[in-house]
Amino acid sequence: MSLNKKDLSIKTLMGPGPTNLHKRVRDALSKETISHLDPEFFDVLNSISSLLRVVFQTNNKVTFAVSGTGSSGMEMTMANVVEEKDKILILKCGEFGNRMSDSASRYGANVTEMEIAWGESFDQLKVIEKIKTIKDLKAVALVHAETSTGVLQDIEIIGEYLKNTDILFIVDAVTSLAGVQLKVDEWGIDICYSGTQKCLSVPPGLSPITFSEKSLSIIKKRKNKVSSWYFDLSLLVNYWGEDRVYHHTAPVNMLFALNEGLKLCCEEGLANRFARHADNGEHFDIRLKELGLASFVNLDKYKALPMLKSVIIPDGIADLQLRKDLLSNEMIEIGGGLGPTKGKIWRIGIMGFNSEKALIDKFFNKFKLYLNQ
Ligand code: PLP
């Protein structure tokens, strides 16, 4: 798994996604388009669902890819779960938790927010204490890998607790899927959504998603129709399920690309892929320390993501100018901070295909030149 010279003469995408693509994914994208109702294409859909089950580590029958970016998985989740005044607990410690809360309240949820500072992660036992205080809670939602801060949220203990309740466990795994351990079934996750442009190294445009039987039975009991036609799960399962009933024209070539990206992931093996991300994340941290730069995440207290590094911008460095220069002179993209971290941190992605030591070394050799100007 390495970027060849030709790839590096293109742009090296080291922001918070998208990443560069493997040649097999690019080839899949440029295949001749076939119909979304062609039986040959149904084999691709079947393959995607079964490979996604491997990557999500689930036996969930309803496992597919929503047409739309990672945010469409969030919309799909909230649209189907939330009915007017349903109580939802949302954990917020960054931009993507904020968005879950915004999305749930737009569907009429009675949202309780639990909030900590950006750069921190939740103590799972405190979350369980909070859950116990809310009567008739319908769901708990959180972000596994908060891309706005670079922090990993441990979730197994919360999931274990929720397994024995009627409360749904909703997890945003947009950045974590295929990059760090994520066991949907074992950890009691009911709805998990992701994106294609992060650790799967497929272009943006699809949102892999999986629904547990528990979530399906709760959704079935809705009193009202899902307010979004496009995201109504009860309609979409007729296309992704055995009946193959037309719902919308599926983005055929994106699905070819996802199928190939998932095959690459499974050929490497999940354990190897997690180990590669972990090793290269550590390598990045060593190189960062050598430069005298600091992680935004307090590494003594919290877990930093291996695939998305948040770095404090040293005093006297012009954030925007440095990023512009890196992009135009070196063809390397890194990301800036969001919300309260704007201008204070860089977000540097080493995800999926781009999680590679040689690429990290090449990056630092260029990057240091811009720090000393
Ligand atoms: N959730 C997380 C954790 C993300 O990092 C992102 C995007 O970066 C999203 C949700 C939204 O995904 P998209 O931009 O693909 O809609």
Side-chain angles (χ1 to χ4, degrees), residues 12 17 22 39-41 52 63 81 94 97 101 116 227 229 246 273 291 306 325 356 359:
T12 302
H22 192 284
E40 192 186 323
F41 188 62
L52 279 178
T63 301
V81 167
S101 177
I116 51 173
S227 61
W229 178 86
Y246 165 66
R273 204 172 177 93
L291 274 187
D325 290 347
E356 208 215 29
L359 188 134

Side-chain angles (χ1 to χ4, degrees), residues 196-346:
T196 41
Q197 75 274 25
K198 312 263 186 184
C199 293
L200 288 171
S201 289
V202 171
L206 291 170
S207 178
I209 196 163
T210 186
F211 290 84
S212 70
E213 288 304 319
K214 175 175 158 185
S215 70
L216 296 178
S217 70
I218 289 177
I219 291 169
K220 238 185 219 148
K221 289 184 199 136
R222 288 180 62 97
K223 292 181 215 83
N224 299 302
K225 260 189 177 177
V226 169
S227 61
S228 160
W229 178 86
Y230 198 75
F231 291 124
D232 186 340
L233 184 64
S234 69
L235 303 177
L236 273 161
V237 288
N238 294 331
Y239 177 64
W240 279 89
E242 278 139 36
D243 296 345
R244 301 295 181 196
V245 178
Y246 165 66
H247 176 264
H248 64 274
T249 311
V252 171
N253 287 57
M254 266 304 297
L255 289 158
F256 286 154
L258 175 59
N259 195 28
E260 208 55 41
L262 289 168
K263 281 185 195 165
L264 280 163
C265 180
C266 293
E267 283 165 22
E268 182 178 9
L270 273 186
N272 292 336
R273 204 172 177 93
F274 298 153
R276 176 165 63 83
H277 280 88
D279 282 354
N280 293 331
E282 278 175 26
H283 183 67
F284 183 98
D285 292 343
I286 292 167
R287 297 291 320 253
L288 190 72
K289 220 171 169 186
E290 282 169 6
L291 274 187
L293 295 186
S295 166
F296 174 63
V297 183
N298 179 341
L299 301 175
D300 295 329
K301 286 176 110 174
Y302 306 108
K303 291 186 186 168
L305 298 176
M307 74 289 276
L308 189 281
K309 296 297 179 180
S310 51
V311 176
I312 296 175
I313 301 175
D315 287 343
I317 300 280
D319 169 30
L320 212 58
Q321 193 58 48
L322 181 143
R323 286 192 281 130
K324 268 190 191 159
D325 290 347
L326 257 187
L327 189 58
S328 57
N329 303 340
E330 312 297 342
M331 312 273 272
I332 296 173
E333 187 206 40
I334 63 170
L338 298 173
T341 63
K342 189 165 184 242
K344 296 186 179 146
I345 66 169
W346 289 308

